Amino acid sequence: MNNKLGYLIRTIGHLHVCGSKLGPSFRTAMRTYTLGISRHKSAIQSVNMRRFLLNVPPCWLESSLRLLSQGVPVYSKGDSTVQEQNATKTLLDEHVQSSSSALDTLEEDRSDVEENLVVKSKRSQSQQFFDDLQKCTSPCDVLDLVSKSAISEKLCSNCFTTMWALTKKLSEDQKRYEKQLMVQHPAFMQLCQHLMQESRSMWCDDLVYSLHAVLKLGVPPNTRLVQTLLRVCQERLNEFDNRCLSVVSTTLATMEKSRNVDALQAGLQLLVEQRIPKISNIFMLQSMMKCSGKDAPLSLKRKFENRVLKELDNLTPLNAQHMFSALAAMNHCSVPILDACSNKIIESIHGTPFWQLIQVLRSCSILQYRNVVLYSAIANYVTSAIYMWDTKQIVLLLSAFEGLRFRPVELMNILAEKVTSHPESLNLKDILHVLRVYSLLNHVPQCQNQEFLESLNGALNKYLTRISNVDLLKAVYSFCILEYLPQPALSQLLQEDNLSELLKSDGLNKEMNEMMLHCVNMCLELDSPSSFTQPATVFIKKPFSPVVSDLPEVREALLKLLGDERMFQQNIQLPHDYNIDFEIKMDADRKKVLPVTEADDPADAPDVQRVAVLCALPSGFCFGTRHPRGKLAMKMRHLKALGYHVILVHYQEFKKLKEEEAIECLKGEIYSEDAFPVSVVNLQDNI
């Protein structure tokens, strides 16, 4: 190439010698090349030279060839003369070919330079668009920019992601307003149409992020745009890298079932199953676990579990927190993984964000994972940093604990003090949450029980004019479990119109309303008999079906202890729809057990003490304790009001006792008041 270019320069030199005036551009180009400036370093400086060479008139080349042939002597015909003439002709042909080749090369160089200039111009325009996009403060600003510019696939994707990024920072009311303006903007439909047309030629990451942003912006899933993007994702699924798969997984996890969603989900599961061994990024793995969902085959869940088990040592505290929600999304309880993640969370509990704590607790509820050490660590952390949390956050946290049957005593006492001091800080939703948590966990502050309940009652009274009947029933029901009758709320509930409306509900709602109304009725009758008035007929609940329980371990222990089946009765149904597992009749001092027949005479009733043995499952107790939960505590209270001495047996723990221990346990409960065997107490304290 250098030899040919040198020859061409010498040829042009002859043109100059012949008197052709080539102008200053020629001299500039010549100076550039003779100085040895590299083409790729000074392409712009050499453009003039190339343009000049490519536009040399043919007559100049012909003149140069004539000039080169003028110095060749003419010989007479003969062998030697002919050979020399042929040699000369061959030389000239080579010169012409070399010149043509050089000119072709320069033509290609000129095309490359022009293409580079065009690309650079496009890049400059794109960069300017990106700069303007960063200055936008609302989705409508983005659409205004779109209406003024011609955008590519990349810019189209960035427009949607930018609109979503701007929207998600707003409050709910602002989001609705901005989304309405966005949809009404004339450029929005144009942008959606452009995205639909260019979806098959987009980069994979632009495609998946566009789908995610479109759905987050509130575009309905059944629209042509979303369905088109889903189909394109199906077609190009094999092109997706792990990050794209993670984004698609996260997006699909929020979508309702449909034909395209199911097809993409199925394809994604097959692809993920193949790639699981190669995925090293924990967050991507967790995203794919969430997308797989509860309906994923057990084999796939096992593969995820095995992959995570290999990475346990590399988990960060943040990985451990997100692992709970990932397993909950699959509804796959892997105790080894959850135990390891619990330890990670406990070690770095300080500084954990509030919503992450909530998510961990809710995931534990979904997975039915019980870890009293983890629950206690979270409760202690929140209690120690109580100044960081407002009342609403504490209420939400306690609601999550209630779902796990865990009773954080100190934290509940602190919230009770806050509510007693500032009941106005609670809205109606907060009041209902507090009532539900404290009633179901059967917790009342030791020092300020009455003040706490009166504060909640006063706060509820402010909402009686606009509360729904269902919420009113829930509030009164919770108060009744806590042995407190809120008179204004109760009077409003007992109005015949309100009761009729509650009992008109269908299905499960009607059954739930009937159950709560029945409990309120029993509390009115048994907790406050002096003020009890018979409510309307619709308020009376039909009796429940008798509950027949088979408790062989307890029955066998009673037989060994009392010696005869006539000394106790099993499965006793009481008038208030309460069921007693075992009933024993004793003398007034509870020193002697009486046969059932000897206590049937009503005249002997004052001298007879009835003993009710209740066998409760773990769900009847607060987790990790023998503290009875709300409905069980209410039942015990009502049985005492009916004249029973109540013995509560933790049935699951009772079954673990040896025969001698079981007998001693019942003996201590039956024959002595308020006496608990040491072995059983220690056992229950360590549940």
Side-chain angles (χ1 to χ4, degrees):
M1 177 66 187
N2 292 333
N3 294 334
K4 293 178 181 178
L5 188 58
Y7 175 76
L8 185 60
I9 293 173
R10 288 197 299 275
T11 302
I12 296 172
H14 286 297
L15 290 173
H16 183 69
V17 170
C18 292
S20 299
K21 296 181 180 180
L22 304 178
S25 62
F26 169 77
R27 292 192 296 273
T28 302
M30 285 293 297
R31 190 161 49 245
T32 300
Y33 276 91
T34 55
L35 287 173
I37 298 176
S38 174
R39 176 173 60 84
H40 69 273
K41 292 184 180 180
S42 57
I44 303 235
Q45 296 178 1
S46 63
V47 170
N48 291 333
M49 174 63 180
R50 293 172 183 166
R51 287 178 179 172
F52 168 77
L53 294 175
L54 292 171
N55 292 285
V56 175
C59 62
W60 290 3
L61 293 176
E62 293 174 1
S63 299
S64 66
L65 294 177
R66 285 196 298 271
L67 176 64
L68 291 171
S69 62
Q70 284 176 0
V72 179
V74 180
Y75 296 95
S76 60
K77 291 182 180 181
D79 294 338
S80 60
T81 303
V82 173
Q83 291 176 0
E84 291 177 2
Q85 288 178 350
N86 290 338
T88 302
K89 183 179 179 181
T90 301
L91 179 61
L92 289 174
D93 291 341
E94 291 177 355
H95 292 335
V96 173
Q97 292 175 1
S98 299
S99 300
S100 300
S101 177
L103 292 176
D104 291 341
T105 303
L106 290 173
E107 175 68 28
E108 294 175 0
D109 290 344
R110 184 179 73 168
S111 299
D112 292 342
V113 171
E114 290 177 349
E115 288 177 3
N116 289 336
L117 290 174
V118 171
V119 170
K120 185 175 181 180
S121 175
K122 288 183 178 179
R123 287 178 180 172
S124 178
Q125 294 175 2
S126 298
Q127 186 59 48
Q128 182 61 44
F129 186 89
F130 280 126
D131 293 341
D132 294 339
L133 198 61
Q134 305 245 337
K135 298 175 185 176
C136 295
T137 58
S138 71
C140 287
D141 290 346
V142 176
L143 295 173
D144 289 339
L145 181 61
V146 168
S147 61
K148 301 174 185 176
S149 312
I151 59 174
S152 63
E153 303 93 344
K154 184 75 175 178
L155 301 181
C156 180
S157 175
N158 278 273
C159 288
F160 278 103
T161 53
T162 301
M163 287 193 292
W164 162 235
L166 293 170
T167 304
K168 69 179 181 179
K169 300 176 183 178
L170 305 176
S171 64
E172 291 300 322
D173 292 337
Q174 289 176 318
K175 282 181 182 178
R176 283 192 294 268
Y177 178 69
E178 287 294 340
K179 287 179 180 179
Q180 184 178 2
L181 292 178
M182 177 190 72
V183 173
Q184 295 173 351
H185 197 287
F188 181 71
M189 189 61 66
Q190 172 192 348
L191 187 62
C192 291
Q193 189 70 26
H194 187 74
L195 176 60
M196 209 159 36
Q197 292 171 351
E198 302 296 338
S199 58
R200 283 179 169 80
S201 59
M202 297 176 74
W203 291 93
C204 292
D205 56 345
D206 290 335
L207 174 63
V208 297
Y209 279 113
S210 296
L211 174 62
H212 179 77
V214 163
L215 288 166
K216 289 295 185 181
L217 286 170
V219 178
N222 60 348
T223 56
R224 184 182 174 191
L225 172 60
V226 175
Q227 295 301 314
T228 298
L229 294 177
L230 288 172
R231 286 195 297 270
V232 174
C233 286
Q234 293 174 39
E235 296 169 3
R236 303 180 59 187
L237 191 58
N238 287 328
E239 303 174 26
F240 289 179
D241 59 14
N242 290 340
R243 183 171 296 280
C244 291
L245 293 178
S246 175
V247 175
V248 173
S249 301
T250 304
T251 305
L252 290 180
T254 62
M255 298 185 68
E256 296 181 357
K257 298 291 184 181
S258 70
R259 183 179 301 175
N260 282 320
V261 170
D262 293 343
L264 183 55
Q265 183 115 23
L268 190 63
Q269 285 185 1
L270 292 175
L271 190 60
V272 167
E273 192 167 1
Q274 296 173 0
R275 295 191 184 181
I276 285 176
K278 300 178 182 178
I279 300 175
S280 57
N281 188 300
I282 299 297
F283 281 115
M284 290 184 184
L285 192 65
Q286 290 169 341
S287 296
M288 294 176 188
M289 292 167 68
K290 292 178 182 179
C291 174
S292 299
K294 300 177 182 179
D295 298 330
L298 183 60
S299 59
L300 180 59
K301 295 179 181 181
R302 294 289 188 192
K303 287 185 178 180
F304 276 122
E305 180 181 8
N306 293 334
R307 187 71 188 90
V308 173
L309 287 172
K310 293 179 181 178
E311 298 290 337
L312 282 182
D313 294 337
N314 300 325
L315 289 182
T316 65
L318 189 59
N319 292 148
Q321 295 163 16
H322 285 285
M323 192 60 69
F324 277 83
S325 56
L327 290 171
M330 292 198 305
N331 195 21
H332 183 66
C333 183
S334 173
V335 175
I337 293 177
L338 292 172
D339 286 344
C341 291
S342 297
N343 294 334
K344 288 276 186 181
I345 293 173
I346 293 171
E347 292 171 2
S348 57
I349 189 72
H350 294 282
T352 304
F354 167 77
W355 284 110
Q356 202 58 55
L357 295 175
I358 292 289
Q359 192 60 48
V360 168
L361 294 176
R362 288 176 178 172
S363 298
C364 289
S365 179
I366 293 171
L367 297 170
Q368 298 184 358
Y369 172 68
R370 300 291 182 255
N371 188 331
V372 69
V373 179
L374 174 64
Y375 302 165
S376 300
I378 294 176
N380 293 337
Y381 164 61
V382 175
T383 303
S384 65
I386 196 68
Y387 59 90
M388 295 173 53
W389 320 99
D390 57 32
T391 302
K392 296 182 184 297
Q393 289 177 315
I394 299 175
V395 170
L396 287 176
L397 198 69
L398 289 178
S399 296
F401 277 129
E402 187 277 321
L404 296 166
R405 300 187 291 107
F406 182 73
R407 175 172 166 255
V409 177
E410 188 174 356
L411 185 60
M412 296 184 77
N413 287 337
I414 291 176
L415 178 62
E417 292 177 5
K418 286 179 173 286
V419 170
T420 304
S421 303
H422 304 286
E424 69 280 356
S425 64
L426 302 178
N427 58 26
L428 178 59
K429 186 176 180 180
D430 296 332
I431 294 171
L432 294 175
H433 278 308
V434 170
L435 284 171
R436 173 183 171 83
V437 169
Y438 280 75
S439 63
L440 292 184
L441 292 178
N442 185 31
H443 181 86
V444 287
Q446 296 179 353
C447 301
Q448 298 179 328
N449 180 16
Q450 197 67 19
E451 293 86 348
F452 170 63
L453 295 174
E454 288 177 356
S455 297
L456 283 175
N457 184 30
L460 178 65
N461 290 339
K462 297 178 182 179
Y463 294 95
L464 290 181
T465 56
R466 55 183 185 273
I467 192 174
S468 68
N469 287 329
V470 174
D471 287 341
L472 177 63
L473 175 57
K474 290 178 180 178
V476 173
Y477 171 71
S478 296
F479 272 121
C480 288
I481 289 179
L482 292 170
E483 201 178 358
Y484 182 87
L485 299 178
Q487 292 301 331
L490 189 58
S491 299
Q492 182 170 323
L493 175 67
L494 294 180
Q495 294 177 12
E496 188 172 352
D497 292 342
N498 294 336
L499 292 175
S500 299
E501 180 182 340
L502 288 169
L503 294 175
K504 286 180 181 178
S505 304
D506 297 329
L508 293 176
N509 290 334
K510 182 179 180 180
E511 292 182 8
M512 183 63 67
N513 291 345
E514 288 178 346
M515 183 275 295
M516 288 190 288
L517 286 171
H518 179 67
C519 289
V520 171
N521 185 40
M522 288 192 302
C523 290
L524 285 172
E525 184 176 352
L526 298 176
D527 290 336
S528 184
S530 58
S531 61
F532 174 73
T533 56
Q534 184 70 31
T537 304
V538 293
F539 189 66
I540 303 301
K541 175 70 179 71
K542 296 179 181 180
F544 292 101
S545 300
V547 178
V548 179
S549 56
D550 184 20
L551 306 165
E553 293 84 3
V554 180
R555 178 181 175 81
E556 188 65 26
L558 286 174
L559 279 174
K560 295 284 185 181
L561 177 63
L562 304 179
D564 194 339
E565 290 186 358
R566 295 178 302 168
M567 309 303 288
F568 64 90
Q569 289 181 307
Q570 188 173 359
N571 292 323
I572 305 300
Q573 189 71 31
L574 299 181
H576 295 83
D577 296 328
Y578 280 133
N579 181 76
I580 297 177
D581 296 313
F582 297 93
E583 181 181 8
I584 303 172
K585 296 182 179 180
M586 307 181 70
D587 62 349
D589 297 329
R590 292 177 47 227
K591 295 181 179 180
K592 179 182 178 183
V593 177
L594 305 175
V596 175
T597 54
E598 292 185 16
D600 291 338
D601 188 356
D604 297 333
D607 298 327
V608 175
Q609 173 65 64
R610 293 179 296 174
V611 177
V613 179
L614 300 181
C615 300
L617 297 174
S619 58
F621 298 91
C622 293
F623 180 64
T625 68
R626 290 195 69 196
H627 184 78
R629 297 180 69 210
K631 291 188 69 175
L632 179 59
M634 180 179 67
K635 180 178 180 178
M636 294 173 64
R637 185 174 75 239
H638 288 168
L639 289 177
K640 290 178 181 178
L642 292 172
Y644 281 93
H645 171 72
V646 181
I647 298 174
L648 185 60
V649 176
H650 194 302
Y651 184 59
Q652 187 178 45
E653 294 301 320
F654 187 87
K655 291 191 297 183
K656 299 177 182 179
L657 299 176
K658 297 178 180 179
E659 183 178 334
E660 297 78 6
E661 294 174 336
I663 294 173
E664 288 298 322
C665 171
L666 291 177
K667 181 178 179 180
E669 294 282 355
I670 292 171
Y671 287 101
S672 61
E673 292 186 50
D674 303 326
F676 293 88
V678 175
S679 60
V680 176
V681 172
N682 291 339
L683 180 63
Q684 304 301 337
D685 289 342
N686 293 311
I687 297 173

